């Protein structure tokens, strides 16, 4: 048999990591932020509360979280972008972070994160159920993709190559990192349990300018 190889074209890798941070301390911090700014900000969120950029927050547990996020951004960069060539040594560093509080019936619409390279989300409070709301990713050409390229009635289950969209079920302390141009949304929270997450963006910077 002839040698056969497969090349993954235009891949969109999703990094998934289970961290071990103090969720009680982070939850308390988030509600303190909300109490200081009841109005919050409105972007893609429908209902719920979203903070301003908190990248400079000095809370001890938040600093631990930011350090871990930057560590895994660099791992993603080293693995996924390893065949790229850069003019100088660079690293990926988080440059914007914000928290999201979603109560019952709150959700976020489809969006990307412009002017960023990698984005991600860290789950501070989620009960692990589908009803508490999953995060959904979709391909840019998702409209009628499976219907256009797969004859009806033949396919029972699609996979990560052929699906229009893919759901990821969050868990507390779960960190997800993905290309900022990958479309995503959060589903409506159908439970009385509050869902809390921290989102972030990153950009490449010169390695000796990190700080």
């Amino acid at each position: 048999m002839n040698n056969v190889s497969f090349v993954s074209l235009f891949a969109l890798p999703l990094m998934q990591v289970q961290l071990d941070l103090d969720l009680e301390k982070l939850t308390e911090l988030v509600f303190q932020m909300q109490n200081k700014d009841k109005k919050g900000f409105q972007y893609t969120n429908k209902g719920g509360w979203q903070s301003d950029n908190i990248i400079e927050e000095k809370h001890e547990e938040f600093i631990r979280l930011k350090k871990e996020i930057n560590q895994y951004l660099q791992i993603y960069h080293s693995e996924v972008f390893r065949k790229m060539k850069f003019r100088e040594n660079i690293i990926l560093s988080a440059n914007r972070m914000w928290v999201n509080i979603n109560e019952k019936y709150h959700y976020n619409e489809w969006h990307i994160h412009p002017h960023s390279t990698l984005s991600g989300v860290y789950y501070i409070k989620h009960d692990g159920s589908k009803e508490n709301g999953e995060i959904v990713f979709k391909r840019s050409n998702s409209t009628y993709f499976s219907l256009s390229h797969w004859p009806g009635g033949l396919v029972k289950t699609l996979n990560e190559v052929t699906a229009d969209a893919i759901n990821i079920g969050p868990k507390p302390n779960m960190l997800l990192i993905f290309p900022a141009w990958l479309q995503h949304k959060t589903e409506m929270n159908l439970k009385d349990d509050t869902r809390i997450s921290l989102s972030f963006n990153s950009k490449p910077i010169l390695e000796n300018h990190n700080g």
Side-chain angles (χ1 to χ4, degrees), residues 169-204:
K171 298 177 182 178
N173 253 321
M174 176 187 285
L175 171 67
L176 301 176
I177 297 177
F178 48 87
W181 56 92
L182 178 58
Q183 291 190 77
H184 56 285
K185 70 174 183 178
T186 59
E187 294 182 321
M188 183 179 290
N189 181 6
L190 298 176
K191 301 188 74 172
D192 293 324
D193 295 330
T194 304
R195 183 177 73 217
I196 301 176
S197 62
L198 175 137
S199 301
F200 57 91
N201 291 332
S202 69
K203 283 185 175 182

mmCIF file of all heavy atoms in Angstrom, residues 169-204:
data_model
loop_
_atom_site.group_PDB
_atom_site.id
_atom_site.type_symbol
_atom_site.label_atom_id
_atom_site.label_comp_id
_atom_site.label_asym_id
_atom_site.label_seq_id
_atom_site.Cartn_x
_atom_site.Cartn_y
_atom_site.Cartn_z
ATOM 1 N N GLY A 169 -18.992 21.441 27.219
ATOM 2 C CA GLY A 169 -19.620 21.548 28.528
ATOM 3 C C GLY A 169 -18.626 22.033 29.572
ATOM 4 O O GLY A 169 -17.671 21.320 29.873
ATOM 5 N N PRO A 170 -18.825 23.222 30.124
ATOM 6 C CA PRO A 170 -17.880 23.757 31.114
ATOM 7 C C PRO A 170 -17.926 23.013 32.438
ATOM 8 O O PRO A 170 -18.912 22.353 32.778
ATOM 9 C CB PRO A 170 -18.354 25.205 31.300
ATOM 10 C CG PRO A 170 -19.224 25.500 30.127
ATOM 11 C CD PRO A 170 -19.861 24.186 29.774
ATOM 12 N N LYS A 171 -16.837 23.153 33.183
ATOM 13 C CA LYS A 171 -16.739 22.668 34.552
ATOM 14 C C LYS A 171 -16.044 23.752 35.370
ATOM 15 O O LYS A 171 -15.267 24.548 34.820
ATOM 16 C CB LYS A 171 -15.910 21.374 34.621
ATOM 17 C CG LYS A 171 -16.491 20.201 33.853
ATOM 18 C CD LYS A 171 -15.551 19.012 33.926
ATOM 19 C CE LYS A 171 -16.081 17.828 33.110
ATOM 20 N NZ LYS A 171 -15.136 16.687 33.142
ATOM 21 N N PRO A 172 -16.261 23.797 36.671
ATOM 22 C CA PRO A 172 -15.527 24.760 37.501
ATOM 23 C C PRO A 172 -14.017 24.549 37.364
ATOM 24 O O PRO A 172 -13.541 23.427 37.304
ATOM 25 C CB PRO A 172 -15.997 24.430 38.925
ATOM 26 C CG PRO A 172 -17.319 23.756 38.750
ATOM 27 C CD PRO A 172 -17.218 22.992 37.463
ATOM 28 N N ASN A 173 -13.280 25.643 37.269
ATOM 29 C CA ASN A 173 -11.820 25.640 37.147
ATOM 30 C C ASN A 173 -11.336 25.228 35.758
ATOM 31 O O ASN A 173 -10.145 24.994 35.569
ATOM 32 C CB ASN A 173 -11.170 24.743 38.205
ATOM 33 C CG ASN A 173 -10.484 25.555 39.306
ATOM 34 O OD1 ASN A 173 -9.863 26.581 39.035
ATOM 35 N ND2 ASN A 173 -10.598 25.095 40.547
ATOM 36 N N MET A 174 -12.229 25.150 34.784
ATOM 37 C CA MET A 174 -11.829 24.800 33.420
ATOM 38 C C MET A 174 -11.356 26.047 32.670
ATOM 39 O O MET A 174 -11.996 27.095 32.712
ATOM 40 C CB MET A 174 -12.981 24.156 32.648
ATOM 41 C CG MET A 174 -12.643 23.859 31.181
ATOM 42 S SD MET A 174 -14.081 23.289 30.226
ATOM 43 C CE MET A 174 -14.223 21.613 30.852
ATOM 44 N N LEU A 175 -10.222 25.912 32.002
ATOM 45 C CA LEU A 175 -9.667 26.968 31.161
ATOM 46 C C LEU A 175 -9.706 26.524 29.709
ATOM 47 O O LEU A 175 -9.261 25.422 29.378
ATOM 48 C CB LEU A 175 -8.227 27.272 31.580
ATOM 49 C CG LEU A 175 -7.423 28.209 30.668
ATOM 50 C CD1 LEU A 175 -8.015 29.620 30.711
ATOM 51 C CD2 LEU A 175 -5.956 28.229 31.079
ATOM 52 N N LEU A 176 -10.245 27.384 28.833
ATOM 53 C CA LEU A 176 -10.271 27.132 27.397
ATOM 54 C C LEU A 176 -9.524 28.253 26.691
ATOM 55 O O LEU A 176 -9.716 29.434 27.015
ATOM 56 C CB LEU A 176 -11.710 27.072 26.866
ATOM 57 C CG LEU A 176 -12.641 26.020 27.457
ATOM 58 C CD1 LEU A 176 -14.047 26.191 26.878
ATOM 59 C CD2 LEU A 176 -12.123 24.613 27.182
ATOM 60 N N ILE A 177 -8.670 27.896 25.728
ATOM 61 C CA ILE A 177 -7.949 28.872 24.910
ATOM 62 C C ILE A 177 -8.164 28.512 23.450
ATOM 63 O O ILE A 177 -8.064 27.341 23.071
ATOM 64 C CB ILE A 177 -6.446 28.894 25.254
ATOM 65 C CG1 ILE A 177 -6.240 29.335 26.708
ATOM 66 C CG2 ILE A 177 -5.693 29.835 24.306
ATOM 67 C CD1 ILE A 177 -4.781 29.327 27.156
ATOM 68 N N PHE A 178 -8.435 29.517 22.622
ATOM 69 C CA PHE A 178 -8.763 29.271 21.217
ATOM 70 C C PHE A 178 -8.396 30.486 20.369
ATOM 71 O O PHE A 178 -8.212 31.595 20.908
ATOM 72 C CB PHE A 178 -10.255 28.949 21.077
ATOM 73 C CG PHE A 178 -11.171 29.902 21.795
ATOM 74 C CD1 PHE A 178 -11.615 31.072 21.188
ATOM 75 C CD2 PHE A 178 -11.583 29.640 23.101
ATOM 76 C CE1 PHE A 178 -12.445 31.957 21.845
ATOM 77 C CE2 PHE A 178 -12.422 30.523 23.773
ATOM 78 C CZ PHE A 178 -12.857 31.689 23.139
ATOM 79 N N PRO A 179 -8.298 30.325 19.039
ATOM 80 C CA PRO A 179 -8.030 31.474 18.165
ATOM 81 C C PRO A 179 -9.120 32.530 18.313
ATOM 82 O O PRO A 179 -10.306 32.211 18.360
ATOM 83 C CB PRO A 179 -8.039 30.865 16.764
ATOM 84 C CG PRO A 179 -7.721 29.421 16.969
ATOM 85 C CD PRO A 179 -8.365 29.059 18.276
ATOM 86 N N ALA A 180 -8.720 33.780 18.370
ATOM 87 C CA ALA A 180 -9.673 34.861 18.625
ATOM 88 C C ALA A 180 -10.674 35.028 17.485
ATOM 89 O O ALA A 180 -11.730 35.645 17.679
ATOM 90 C CB ALA A 180 -8.915 36.172 18.852
ATOM 91 N N TRP A 181 -10.352 34.491 16.311
ATOM 92 C CA TRP A 181 -11.258 34.619 15.156
ATOM 93 C C TRP A 181 -12.278 33.480 15.073
ATOM 94 O O TRP A 181 -13.093 33.437 14.157
ATOM 95 C CB TRP A 181 -10.458 34.696 13.866
ATOM 96 C CG TRP A 181 -9.517 33.538 13.649
ATOM 97 C CD1 TRP A 181 -9.785 32.381 12.985
ATOM 98 C CD2 TRP A 181 -8.144 33.450 14.066
ATOM 99 N NE1 TRP A 181 -8.679 31.562 12.973
ATOM 100 C CE2 TRP A 181 -7.652 32.192 13.630
ATOM 101 C CE3 TRP A 181 -7.281 34.302 14.764
ATOM 102 C CZ2 TRP A 181 -6.347 31.785 13.871
ATOM 103 C CZ3 TRP A 181 -5.984 33.888 15.000
ATOM 104 C CH2 TRP A 181 -5.522 32.648 14.563
ATOM 105 N N LEU A 182 -12.254 32.578 16.026
ATOM 106 C CA LEU A 182 -13.212 31.474 16.043
ATOM 107 C C LEU A 182 -14.541 31.949 16.646
ATOM 108 O O LEU A 182 -14.591 32.401 17.795
ATOM 109 C CB LEU A 182 -12.643 30.317 16.863
ATOM 110 C CG LEU A 182 -13.527 29.077 17.039
ATOM 111 C CD1 LEU A 182 -13.915 28.484 15.684
ATOM 112 C CD2 LEU A 182 -12.819 28.040 17.895
ATOM 113 N N GLN A 183 -15.612 31.856 15.868
ATOM 114 C CA GLN A 183 -16.916 32.303 16.339
ATOM 115 C C GLN A 183 -17.409 31.427 17.490
ATOM 116 O O GLN A 183 -17.284 30.215 17.448
ATOM 117 C CB GLN A 183 -17.934 32.262 15.204
ATOM 118 C CG GLN A 183 -17.695 33.285 14.109
ATOM 119 C CD GLN A 183 -18.876 33.342 13.149
ATOM 120 O OE1 GLN A 183 -19.921 33.916 13.448
ATOM 121 N NE2 GLN A 183 -18.708 32.736 11.987
ATOM 122 N N HIS A 184 -18.016 32.076 18.482
ATOM 123 C CA HIS A 184 -18.517 31.336 19.636
ATOM 124 C C HIS A 184 -19.635 32.119 20.315
ATOM 125 O O HIS A 184 -19.815 33.317 20.089
ATOM 126 C CB HIS A 184 -17.387 31.046 20.633
ATOM 127 C CG HIS A 184 -16.669 32.268 21.111
ATOM 128 N ND1 HIS A 184 -15.762 32.952 20.328
ATOM 129 C CD2 HIS A 184 -16.721 32.949 22.281
ATOM 130 C CE1 HIS A 184 -15.283 33.980 20.988
ATOM 131 N NE2 HIS A 184 -15.856 34.013 22.183
ATOM 132 N N LYS A 185 -20.380 31.424 21.148
ATOM 133 C CA LYS A 185 -21.428 32.039 21.954
ATOM 134 C C LYS A 185 -21.580 31.225 23.224
ATOM 135 O O LYS A 185 -21.072 30.099 23.326
ATOM 136 C CB LYS A 185 -22.759 32.079 21.202
ATOM 137 C CG LYS A 185 -23.409 30.701 21.021
ATOM 138 C CD LYS A 185 -24.795 30.813 20.399
ATOM 139 C CE LYS A 185 -25.471 29.432 20.302
ATOM 140 N NZ LYS A 185 -26.847 29.530 19.746
ATOM 141 N N THR A 186 -22.283 31.783 24.208
ATOM 142 C CA THR A 186 -22.651 31.003 25.387
ATOM 143 C C THR A 186 -24.157 30.817 25.380
ATOM 144 O O THR A 186 -24.908 31.747 25.090
ATOM 145 C CB THR A 186 -22.217 31.688 26.696
ATOM 146 O OG1 THR A 186 -22.819 32.980 26.790
ATOM 147 C CG2 THR A 186 -20.706 31.841 26.739
ATOM 148 N N GLU A 187 -24.568 29.622 25.699
ATOM 149 C CA GLU A 187 -25.995 29.327 25.704
ATOM 150 C C GLU A 187 -26.695 29.960 26.903
ATOM 151 O O GLU A 187 -26.067 30.314 27.899
ATOM 152 C CB GLU A 187 -26.212 27.812 25.721
ATOM 153 C CG GLU A 187 -25.742 27.119 24.461
ATOM 154 C CD GLU A 187 -26.015 25.630 24.485
ATOM 155 O OE1 GLU A 187 -25.851 25.017 25.566
ATOM 156 O OE2 GLU A 187 -26.384 25.094 23.437
ATOM 157 N N MET A 188 -27.993 30.055 26.787
ATOM 158 C CA MET A 188 -28.788 30.624 27.865
ATOM 159 C C MET A 188 -28.683 29.763 29.125
ATOM 160 O O MET A 188 -28.729 28.541 29.065
ATOM 161 C CB MET A 188 -30.251 30.724 27.420
ATOM 162 C CG MET A 188 -31.170 31.369 28.437
ATOM 163 S SD MET A 188 -32.883 31.489 27.834
ATOM 164 C CE MET A 188 -32.697 32.746 26.560
ATOM 165 N N ASN A 189 -28.517 30.435 30.255
ATOM 166 C CA ASN A 189 -28.544 29.755 31.547
ATOM 167 C C ASN A 189 -30.001 29.480 31.916
ATOM 168 O O ASN A 189 -30.785 30.411 32.121
ATOM 169 C CB ASN A 189 -27.878 30.639 32.612
ATOM 170 C CG ASN A 189 -27.852 29.987 33.968
ATOM 171 O OD1 ASN A 189 -28.221 28.823 34.131
ATOM 172 N ND2 ASN A 189 -27.407 30.738 34.971
ATOM 173 N N LEU A 190 -30.367 28.224 31.981
ATOM 174 C CA LEU A 190 -31.751 27.850 32.251
ATOM 175 C C LEU A 190 -31.984 27.472 33.708
ATOM 176 O O LEU A 190 -33.058 26.982 34.056
ATOM 177 C CB LEU A 190 -32.153 26.680 31.343
ATOM 178 C CG LEU A 190 -32.107 26.967 29.833
ATOM 179 C CD1 LEU A 190 -32.438 25.715 29.047
ATOM 180 C CD2 LEU A 190 -33.049 28.107 29.473
ATOM 181 N N LYS A 191 -30.979 27.698 34.539
ATOM 182 C CA LYS A 191 -31.094 27.311 35.944
ATOM 183 C C LYS A 191 -31.020 28.535 36.856
ATOM 184 O O LYS A 191 -30.614 29.625 36.449
ATOM 185 C CB LYS A 191 -29.996 26.305 36.304
ATOM 186 C CG LYS A 191 -30.027 25.035 35.460
ATOM 187 C CD LYS A 191 -29.056 24.002 35.964
ATOM 188 C CE LYS A 191 -29.529 23.351 37.242
ATOM 189 N NZ LYS A 191 -28.661 22.216 37.633
ATOM 190 N N ASP A 192 -31.402 28.332 38.093
ATOM 191 C CA ASP A 192 -31.317 29.397 39.083
ATOM 192 C C ASP A 192 -29.886 29.601 39.581
ATOM 193 O O ASP A 192 -29.596 30.581 40.266
ATOM 194 C CB ASP A 192 -32.238 29.101 40.272
ATOM 195 C CG ASP A 192 -33.711 29.146 39.886
ATOM 196 O OD1 ASP A 192 -34.077 29.996 39.044
ATOM 197 O OD2 ASP A 192 -34.486 28.323 40.411
ATOM 198 N N ASP A 193 -28.994 28.677 39.256
ATOM 199 C CA ASP A 193 -27.594 28.772 39.671
ATOM 200 C C ASP A 193 -26.840 29.770 38.797
ATOM 201 O O ASP A 193 -26.859 29.672 37.567
ATOM 202 C CB ASP A 193 -26.913 27.399 39.572
ATOM 203 C CG ASP A 193 -27.496 26.386 40.543
ATOM 204 O OD1 ASP A 193 -27.960 26.807 41.610
ATOM 205 O OD2 ASP A 193 -27.500 25.188 40.214
ATOM 206 N N THR A 194 -26.171 30.706 39.444
ATOM 207 C CA THR A 194 -25.398 31.723 38.725
ATOM 208 C C THR A 194 -24.217 31.085 37.986
ATOM 209 O O THR A 194 -23.559 30.189 38.508
ATOM 210 C CB THR A 194 -24.866 32.776 39.716
ATOM 211 O OG1 THR A 194 -25.965 33.328 40.436
ATOM 212 C CG2 THR A 194 -24.119 33.878 38.991
ATOM 213 N N ARG A 195 -23.969 31.561 36.776
ATOM 214 C CA ARG A 195 -22.789 31.140 36.000
ATOM 215 C C ARG A 195 -21.801 32.310 35.978
ATOM 216 O O ARG A 195 -22.168 33.422 35.620
ATOM 217 C CB ARG A 195 -23.202 30.764 34.577
ATOM 218 C CG ARG A 195 -22.057 30.241 33.706
ATOM 219 C CD ARG A 195 -22.578 29.816 32.342
ATOM 220 N NE ARG A 195 -22.927 30.929 31.487
ATOM 221 C CZ ARG A 195 -23.964 30.945 30.643
ATOM 222 N NH1 ARG A 195 -24.768 29.907 30.560
ATOM 223 N NH2 ARG A 195 -24.207 31.994 29.883
ATOM 224 N N ILE A 196 -20.554 32.040 36.374
ATOM 225 C CA ILE A 196 -19.535 33.092 36.403
ATOM 226 C C ILE A 196 -18.311 32.623 35.623
ATOM 227 O O ILE A 196 -17.817 31.505 35.824
ATOM 228 C CB ILE A 196 -19.104 33.431 37.846
ATOM 229 C CG1 ILE A 196 -20.306 33.885 38.674
ATOM 230 C CG2 ILE A 196 -18.036 34.515 37.833
ATOM 231 C CD1 ILE A 196 -19.967 34.150 40.132
ATOM 232 N N SER A 197 -17.828 33.472 34.742
ATOM 233 C CA SER A 197 -16.628 33.144 33.968
ATOM 234 C C SER A 197 -15.759 34.386 33.821
ATOM 235 O O SER A 197 -16.213 35.517 34.026
ATOM 236 C CB SER A 197 -17.010 32.613 32.582
ATOM 237 O OG SER A 197 -17.713 33.595 31.841
ATOM 238 N N LEU A 198 -14.505 34.146 33.479
ATOM 239 C CA LEU A 198 -13.574 35.213 33.157
ATOM 240 C C LEU A 198 -13.109 35.012 31.724
ATOM 241 O O LEU A 198 -12.658 33.923 31.363
ATOM 242 C CB LEU A 198 -12.380 35.209 34.105
ATOM 243 C CG LEU A 198 -11.285 36.231 33.772
ATOM 244 C CD1 LEU A 198 -10.789 36.920 35.039
ATOM 245 C CD2 LEU A 198 -10.103 35.592 33.029
ATOM 246 N N SER A 199 -13.251 36.043 30.899
ATOM 247 C CA SER A 199 -12.811 35.984 29.505
ATOM 248 C C SER A 199 -11.553 36.818 29.342
ATOM 249 O O SER A 199 -11.298 37.745 30.125
ATOM 250 C CB SER A 199 -13.911 36.500 28.571
ATOM 251 O OG SER A 199 -15.090 35.740 28.700
ATOM 252 N N PHE A 200 -10.783 36.523 28.295
ATOM 253 C CA PHE A 200 -9.540 37.272 28.099
ATOM 254 C C PHE A 200 -9.124 37.260 26.631
ATOM 255 O O PHE A 200 -9.501 36.380 25.856
ATOM 256 C CB PHE A 200 -8.412 36.704 28.964
ATOM 257 C CG PHE A 200 -8.120 35.245 28.744
ATOM 258 C CD1 PHE A 200 -7.189 34.825 27.812
ATOM 259 C CD2 PHE A 200 -8.788 34.284 29.480
ATOM 260 C CE1 PHE A 200 -6.925 33.477 27.619
ATOM 261 C CE2 PHE A 200 -8.538 32.934 29.296
ATOM 262 C CZ PHE A 200 -7.603 32.530 28.354
ATOM 263 N N ASN A 201 -8.352 38.272 26.281
ATOM 264 C CA ASN A 201 -7.725 38.386 24.971
ATOM 265 C C ASN A 201 -6.224 38.473 25.146
ATOM 266 O O ASN A 201 -5.725 38.874 26.208
ATOM 267 C CB ASN A 201 -8.212 39.631 24.231
ATOM 268 C CG ASN A 201 -9.659 39.542 23.804
ATOM 269 O OD1 ASN A 201 -10.188 38.457 23.576
ATOM 270 N ND2 ASN A 201 -10.317 40.686 23.690
ATOM 271 N N SER A 202 -5.492 38.134 24.091
ATOM 272 C CA SER A 202 -4.034 38.239 24.144
ATOM 273 C C SER A 202 -3.489 38.674 22.792
ATOM 274 O O SER A 202 -4.144 38.516 21.750
ATOM 275 C CB SER A 202 -3.410 36.892 24.529
ATOM 276 O OG SER A 202 -3.579 35.952 23.484
ATOM 277 N N LYS A 203 -2.291 39.219 22.833
ATOM 278 C CA LYS A 203 -1.570 39.627 21.633
ATOM 279 C C LYS A 203 -0.104 39.217 21.767
ATOM 280 O O LYS A 203 0.407 39.087 22.879
ATOM 281 C CB LYS A 203 -1.643 41.147 21.446
ATOM 282 C CG LYS A 203 -2.957 41.668 20.910
ATOM 283 C CD LYS A 203 -2.850 43.165 20.667
ATOM 284 C CE LYS A 203 -4.102 43.723 20.010
ATOM 285 N NZ LYS A 203 -3.974 45.173 19.728
ATOM 286 N N PRO A 204 0.574 39.037 20.641
ATOM 287 C CA PRO A 204 2.017 38.773 20.719
ATOM 288 C C PRO A 204 2.777 40.041 21.090
ATOM 289 O O PRO A 204 2.442 41.141 20.639
ATOM 290 C CB PRO A 204 2.371 38.311 19.304
ATOM 291 C CG PRO A 204 1.306 38.889 18.422
ATOM 292 C CD PRO A 204 0.067 38.972 19.256
#
